Amino acid sequence: MTVLDCSAYSADLTVLAGRLPRIPRRDLHGFLAAARTAATELPAPLAAALDDFRSDGNQNGYLLLRGLPVEDDDALPRTPDSTPAPVRRTLLNQEAMLAIVGRRLGLHTGYRELRAASVFHDVYPSPGAHFLSSETSETLLEFHTEMAYHVRQPNYVLLACSRADHERKAATLVASVRKALSLLPDDVRARLFERPLPCCVDVAFRGGVADPGAIADVKPLYGDPRDPFLGYDRELLAPKEPADVEAVDVLSKALDEVREAVFLVPGDVLIVDNFRTTHARTPFVPRWDGKDRWLHRVYIRTDRGSQLSGGERAGDVVDFVPRH
């Protein structure tokens, strides 16, 4: 299953959202504890789909929940133009969905160096944004496995849509290693499997240094050789040896060949398996009218891949530790 129509559950989900604290950022740990309770009361088909995806994912590497509760556009605040969100901002329906769905999957996590250590991110266009930032709009945001260079890389990236772009042209591209693997020759698989390659890091994790170089090492393929995980970033992965450069190029072309475009509309929650995919976003043109594209993002960690060491809570904030 890749797309689940949740419109039939909208009324029930609205009731669950109504039980959550109205000011989530005032006590985030308490808010997410309440969301965990709500997650145990999800409609059975939705709960089963989430549990199945958490257990083994799927071939496409994502699950799209469509038809979730969302405010009418005129009832929403203006699309933000700064970050983080004010502590006093009241709960939005799509934030409630990220809270409840996310707690069914694992633990919401903030990253100390990213977005002022906030856990819930507003994703919106920003003039002059760095080309590696999710706030860029009029250039392609290239394929990347989110924080592949981070020891505490999230297992899932969740994107919820309150507003689409005006022209409905922005696509989230997802490419799954499960689909790309058969396109890789045996020698390329062998070359990339469990082989750490130099990797740069996003601006937020550079410690104020303009260009610290490749301060992390990322394995493009790792885990089970028959069903490997993926670590890939088109802008940041920096192989040096010619054979590694060639192998990564073959992987890149395979990922391009299997990519899928997901056009998010209000009421969507996209769950991306961040251990088996890479994702991107196509350009769009903002109008700066307060009604531009507005997504909400959270990162979810689970006990997969040594993301957790024990004692963590949903809403915790972690420090940067580069992979080596």
Side-chain angles (χ1 to χ4, degrees):
M1 178 189 298
T2 320
V3 182
L4 179 63
D5 183 357
C6 299
S7 55
Y9 320 130
S10 183
D12 292 336
L13 293 172
T14 299
V15 170
L16 290 180
R19 296 176 186 169
L20 301 182
R22 293 294 88 194
I23 312 292
R25 294 165 182 81
R26 183 178 293 163
D27 174 13
L28 191 60
H29 285 105
F31 170 74
L32 291 173
R36 175 56 185 156
T37 299
T40 65
E41 302 176 36
L42 284 169
L46 173 54
L50 293 171
D51 293 347
D52 287 347
F53 191 72
R54 187 184 190 280
S55 175
D56 195 39
N58 60 30
Q59 191 73 5
N60 296 317
Y62 70 88
L63 177 63
L64 177 62
L65 308 179
R66 181 146 278 173
L68 299 169
V70 63
E71 291 84 357
D72 292 336
D73 190 73
D74 289 341
L76 284 168
R78 290 175 61 86
T79 296
D81 57 11
S82 64
T83 193
V87 172
R88 65 182 180 276
R89 193 172 85 191
T90 55
L91 181 65
L92 300 172
N93 283 331
Q94 285 294 81
E95 291 178 321
M97 295 302 102
L98 285 186
I100 297 170
V101 168
R103 289 299 285 121
R104 189 83 189 193
L105 295 169
L107 302 180
H108 297 67
T109 300
Y111 291 82
R112 181 108 30 218
E113 300 81 5
L114 185 64
R115 299 292 188 98
S118 55
V119 173
F120 283 78
H121 300 166
D122 292 314
V123 180
Y124 52 86
S126 180
H130 192 280
F131 72 96
L132 294 177
S133 168
S134 61
E135 293 177 13
T136 186
S137 55
E138 296 182 68
T139 58
L140 174 69
L141 183 61
E142 287 279 14
F143 270 129
H144 59 288
T145 301
E146 201 82 22
M147 288 181 262
Y149 46 76
H150 201 311
V151 168
R152 300 187 178 98
Q153 171 189 338
N155 196 157
Y156 301 107
V157 179
L158 273 60
L159 296 170
C161 182
S162 280
R163 279 195 181 105
D165 60 297
H166 290 286
E167 298 173 345
R168 303 290 175 103
K169 289 186 176 180
T172 301
L173 307 177
V174 184
S176 166
V177 69
R178 282 178 164 168
K179 296 173 69 175
L181 194 64
S182 63
L183 303 179
L184 301 179
D186 290 344
D187 61 330
V188 171
R189 292 195 208 183
R191 182 77 189 183
L192 296 178
F193 187 74
E194 295 289 353
R195 181 174 180 81
L197 297 181
C199 189
C200 302
V201 301
D202 283 306
V203 175
F205 298 100
R206 295 178 184 177
V209 179
D211 184 9
I215 62 175
D217 296 300
V218 168
K219 299 173 182 177
L221 302 175
Y222 62 102
D224 183 347
R226 297 165 300 179
D227 187 19
F229 296 133
L230 176 71
Y232 177 83
D233 193 303
R234 187 156 293 175
E235 295 285 356
L236 300 178
L237 203 59
K240 294 180 179 179
E241 296 185 25
D244 293 334
V245 173
E246 182 178 353
V248 169
D249 184 57
V250 173
L251 174 61
S252 295
K253 290 176 180 176
L255 292 168
D256 280 339
E257 191 166 333
V258 302
R259 70 185 186 185
E260 291 188 53
V262 179
F263 293 87
L264 295 175
V265 299
D268 282 356
V269 167
L270 176 64
I271 305 168
V272 178
D273 184 342
N274 195 48
F275 275 25
R276 285 199 170 94
T277 66
T278 185
H279 64 279
R281 194 224 59 244
T282 62
F284 65 98
V285 179
R287 297 182 185 175
W288 315 117
D289 59 356
K291 301 280 190 176
D292 280 320
R293 189 175 193 250
W294 184 8
L295 305 185
H296 313 274
R297 180 179 64 195
V298 295
Y299 298 125
I300 303 294
R301 289 191 298 155
T302 71
D303 53 8
R304 178 184 293 171
S306 303
Q307 297 171 82
L308 305 178
S309 55
E312 291 91 346
R313 298 182 297 168
D316 283 350
V317 175
V318 299
D319 295 309
F320 177 48
V321 181
R323 288 192 186 276
H324 288 298

